[in-house]
Amino acid sequence: MTTGVRRRMGVDERRQQLIGVALDLFSRRSPEDVSIDEIAAAAGISRPLVYHYFPGKQSLYEAALRRAADELAARFLEPLEGPLGARLLRVMGRFFDFVDEHGPGFSALMRGGPAVGSSTANAMIDGVRQAAYEQIITHLGVSEPPARLELVVRSWVSLAESTALIWLDGRRIPREELEMQLVHDFAALAAVSAAYDQEMAGIVLRVLSQEPADGPFGDLLARLSAFAPDAPAVPAQRLPNP
């Protein structure tokens, strides 16, 4: 990210350069460990010049956070074409691309980093979650989501977030498996909700009717079918004596 040669930039161009430099540094290390001096050196400018464009590290951090939030929200954009399972799998691929590329920055974005308690930072995080929620609802083709569907989608977005944060701590599970598992998790959450509500059942049946046998949802059914023969028999419930 070091420029190597100083040159005169316009105000907006210099601000965008500083945001990019800061985001790169925050993505590789915890924001608390990045100093203004490092940002200035990476940008090829003096420390006072950084303060000319940003009043402090907090404001620069929030600007970098905004760019990261916008980029992360964009990872959930997907053409409304093809089966839902395949769409969700592509979304998860792009989501984990971001997580992989911006590990510490992703953690800071979701956990708050030095901006804990900042209403601006919290609003950005909520904005990412809301954008993800709205995109999934759009893919489900529901204009007025019932309460149970909202619960399923928001729970799944939170699950994807927490799964990514745990995965970053050691990457002990292959990333591709987690991407597929999260798609399966969505189907499982929706199926459980469908067991309690006819409207949800209708949504789930409509989605499944459009899924190919070799798609992510078909893969889940195959895995469950393979697992069933090895499952121990469930003993009959003991009824109290009359």
Side-chain angles (χ1 to χ4, degrees):
M1 295 297 298
T2 305
T3 59
V5 177
R6 295 188 183 185
R7 67 181 182 85
R8 187 177 298 277
M9 294 184 181
V11 173
D12 186 64
E13 184 182 8
R14 178 65 78 185
R15 281 180 59 86
Q16 293 305 313
Q17 182 219 17
L18 285 170
I19 291 171
V21 166
L23 180 59
D24 178 67
L25 291 172
F26 293 148
S27 294
R28 290 186 279 112
R29 287 165 41 217
S30 176
E32 295 94 331
D33 298 331
V34 178
S35 69
I36 287 292
D37 287 332
E38 288 179 89
I39 295 171
I45 62 176
S46 66
R47 175 189 175 96
L49 194 55
V50 175
Y51 286 110
H52 175 74
Y53 293 99
F54 294 94
K57 190 172 81 167
Q58 178 69 22
S59 63
L60 180 52
Y61 170 78
E62 290 189 355
L65 200 65
R66 164 51 61 196
R67 181 179 291 185
D70 290 344
E71 182 180 343
L72 180 55
R75 301 294 174 107
F76 285 87
L77 296 173
E78 173 72 21
L80 301 176
E81 302 171 356
L84 178 64
R87 289 184 241 166
L88 290 180
L89 188 58
R90 288 192 292 270
V91 167
M92 285 296 95
R94 291 195 299 272
F95 173 72
F96 271 90
D97 281 343
F98 181 93
V99 173
D100 214 0
E101 295 163 9
H102 304 287
F106 175 80
S107 295
L109 174 63
M110 292 301 160
R111 290 174 173 151
V116 169
S118 165
S119 59
T120 300
N122 291 337
M124 291 180 197
I125 296 166
D126 288 342
V128 172
R129 293 168 178 152
Q130 182 63 22
Y133 166 78
E134 291 175 357
Q135 281 299 311
I136 302 305
I137 291 296
T138 298
H139 282 282
L140 288 167
V142 179
S143 57
E144 297 182 8
R148 288 184 187 275
L149 180 59
E150 180 176 356
L151 179 62
V152 165
V153 176
R154 292 195 186 280
S155 296
W156 183 72
V157 170
S158 296
L159 178 61
E161 173 189 323
S162 58
T163 298
L165 288 171
I166 294 170
W167 177 75
L168 281 171
D169 186 16
R171 292 174 165 82
R172 291 171 293 173
I173 299 175
R175 173 185 149 178
E176 293 76 11
E177 290 183 15
L178 280 185
E179 292 171 8
M180 180 65 80
Q181 182 177 317
L182 280 166
V183 176
H184 291 170
D185 287 335
F186 181 87
L189 286 169
V192 170
S193 185
Y196 287 84
D197 183 80
Q198 286 189 341
E199 188 173 10
M200 276 298 299
I203 293 171
V204 170
L205 289 173
R206 174 173 55 79
V207 169
L208 291 179
S209 69
Q210 301 168 357
E211 292 292 317
D214 60 350
F217 292 167
D219 177 71
L220 174 59
L221 292 175
R223 288 173 181 270
L224 291 175
S225 298
F227 167 78
D230 299 325
V234 179
Q237 181 181 7
R238 290 187 177 181
L239 299 176
N241 293 325

